[in-house]
Amino acid sequence: VKTIRVVPVFLLQGVHVMEDIPEEIHQAQQALPELTIEICPHLGSHPYLKQVLYKKWQVEGSGALVLVAHGSRRAGGNDAILATANALEGEAAFWAVSPKLEEAIMPLIQSGVQHLTILPYFLFAGKITDAIHQAIHDLEERFPEVTFHLLPPLGPTEPMASLVTDLAL
């Protein structure tokens, strides 16, 4: 092996993608000068990710779409999520910052939307996706006339693996 290509499997361009991984690659390159170590674009930057999300919504969901992510307090840190939700003609919601899930959902319910699909912008299940599930359960009790459909996180699916492979090649 003469070349190693590293694909950061992160949806957003945060500290890990911008600082931590490049630093680790730099250290590895210093320790292994006979290898070429290349960093590829991160998963969330793939131009077809929006199509994968759209297809997931169309196949597994129904009604209005709310894309929910962790959210960042950094200036501009949520721009990619907002742009993605906009491209999907949906709403963006965040767990850690405003607009939070209920803030994003309430105007939709007030406008008469009766079917909502919540798409977690997470690769895998964890504490936050569990908390989102509980929040949806609470909203279902408050709004029994609304059908909430919570999709699973993006996960290790064939479409996601294809995006990673495409970035690596």
Side-chain angles (χ1 to χ4, degrees), residues 91-103:
E91 299 296 325
F94 302 99
W95 191 252
V97 297
S98 192
K100 295 204 174 203
L101 187 57
E102 187 169 336
E103 293 173 295

Side-chain angles (χ1 to χ4, degrees), residues 51-70:
Q51 284 88 335
V52 170
L53 296 173
Y54 183 79
K55 185 173 183 179
K56 185 174 182 71
W57 170 38
Q58 293 300 304
V59 170
E60 300 178 37
S62 64
L65 175 69
V66 177
L67 184 67
V68 61
H70 179 273

Side-chain angles (χ1 to χ4, degrees), residues 54-127:
Y54 183 79
K55 185 173 183 179
K56 185 174 182 71
W57 170 38
Q58 293 300 304
V59 170
E60 300 178 37
S62 64
L65 175 69
V66 177
L67 184 67
V68 61
H70 179 273
S72 173
R73 289 178 178 82
R74 280 186 162 181
N78 297 319
D79 291 351
I81 301 299
L82 295 166
T84 299
N86 187 50
L88 297 171
E89 298 179 4
E91 299 296 325
F94 302 99
W95 191 252
V97 297
S98 192
K100 295 204 174 203
L101 187 57
E102 187 169 336
E103 293 173 295
I105 288 173
M106 289 308 296
L108 296 169
I109 292 173
Q110 291 168 348
S111 72
V113 170
Q114 294 185 334
H115 299 281
L116 281 167
T117 295
I118 291 62
L119 176 55
Y121 196 64
F122 293 87
L123 290 173
F124 303 102
K127 290 180 183 178

